[in-house]
Amino acid sequence: PLYSSAASDVYKRQDTPRALQVWSNKKYHKLFDDLNVLTPRELEARQEIEFESYVYKVQIEARVIDEMVQNYIIPAAIAYQNKLIQNVQGLMNVLGDKAGKVAAKGQVAILEEISEHMNKTMDLSAKMLASRKKANNLKGHEEKAVAYCDNVKVFFDDIRYHVDKLELLIDDEEWRLPKFREMLFTR
């Protein structure tokens, strides 16, 4: 059959580098060559180009994520934390320690939650950067594509999760990016 066990493994994994690895199968080289579509060398060249293209796309996405985290998300979180801290300190000054702690309980909870998501976002972003550096040192296009898929792209969803949580917590005035709820109703 045309679809071997190697091809069925690709469907189990379902990512671009694994799908492109199927092009290395000699059955496909013969098929394309027999049909005068592509020579084996042309098929190898296209595969290499696709691996390289995949790496560049994921690399760009990772850079954009890191830039947004460093230049938009973290500064907004810190600015909003500072506003909340001033509010808590004001409540403590006006109401005194005991009543101030009771009155500031909600703000302190928000501060803790912002800190948790901000720290996790920064940690994941740093790990993603380290993984990118390792992947960039690999020589082969296929090896690099697999490394970007398995070791860099895996951070995208986790970073997104914590940034989404921050978006819900941080005041609109501090959040310089459009929020999802705003984009839903834009025409």
Side-chain angles (χ1 to χ4, degrees), residues 9-180:
D9 289 343
V10 168
Y11 295 115
K12 290 177 192 171
R13 178 69 183 165
Q14 295 186 358
D15 61 46
T16 301
R18 280 15 174 250
L20 292 172
Q21 287 173 340
V22 172
W23 290 10
S24 299
N25 189 321
K26 298 302 178 196
K27 290 180 187 179
Y28 298 110
H29 284 217
K30 183 172 174 17
L31 175 69
F32 279 94
D33 198 29
D34 289 349
L35 295 173
N36 292 321
V37 176
L38 295 170
T39 67
R41 180 64 196 126
E42 289 171 328
L43 196 56
E44 289 170 12
R46 284 182 182 240
Q47 181 187 34
E48 188 174 310
I49 289 167
E50 291 298 328
F51 278 132
E52 194 172 355
S53 175
Y54 177 81
V55 167
Y56 287 142
K57 287 175 184 175
V58 175
Q59 191 176 60
I60 289 167
E61 285 182 63
R63 285 179 177 169
V64 168
I65 289 170
D66 190 54
E67 183 178 330
M68 289 177 72
V69 164
Q70 300 305 323
N71 295 323
Y72 295 94
I73 309 305
I74 300 305
I78 291 171
Y80 190 56
Q81 276 184 320
N82 287 334
K83 278 186 176 180
L84 289 174
I85 289 168
Q86 288 176 349
N87 183 266
V88 168
Q89 289 172 339
L91 287 171
M92 300 289 271
N93 287 339
V94 171
L95 301 175
D97 284 347
K98 189 175 180 181
K101 284 183 182 179
V102 172
K105 184 178 175 184
Q107 290 91 324
V108 171
I110 293 171
L111 277 167
E112 290 171 349
E113 199 171 346
I114 289 172
S115 291
E116 176 188 337
H117 291 296
M118 182 176 65
N119 290 334
K120 195 66 176 166
T121 300
M122 290 170 61
D123 182 49
L124 289 167
S125 188
K127 287 178 181 177
M128 181 180 67
L129 178 61
S131 294
R132 261 188 44 226
K133 287 180 179 180
K134 282 183 185 177
N136 286 337
N137 288 327
L138 300 173
K139 297 298 177 202
H141 295 290
E142 181 177 348
E143 187 180 10
K144 194 180 279 192
V146 169
Y148 262 89
C149 181
D150 294 349
N151 304 326
V152 176
K153 194 175 177 189
V154 294
F155 289 103
F156 290 9
D157 288 339
D158 290 339
I159 292 171
R160 166 79 186 270
Y161 171 81
H162 292 286
V163 169
D164 285 351
K165 294 294 183 183
L166 287 169
E167 178 184 325
L168 294 172
L169 293 167
I170 297 172
D171 184 40
D172 290 353
E173 288 180 24
E174 299 300 333
W175 195 265
R176 298 184 337 191
L177 301 170
K179 292 194 173 189
F180 286 121

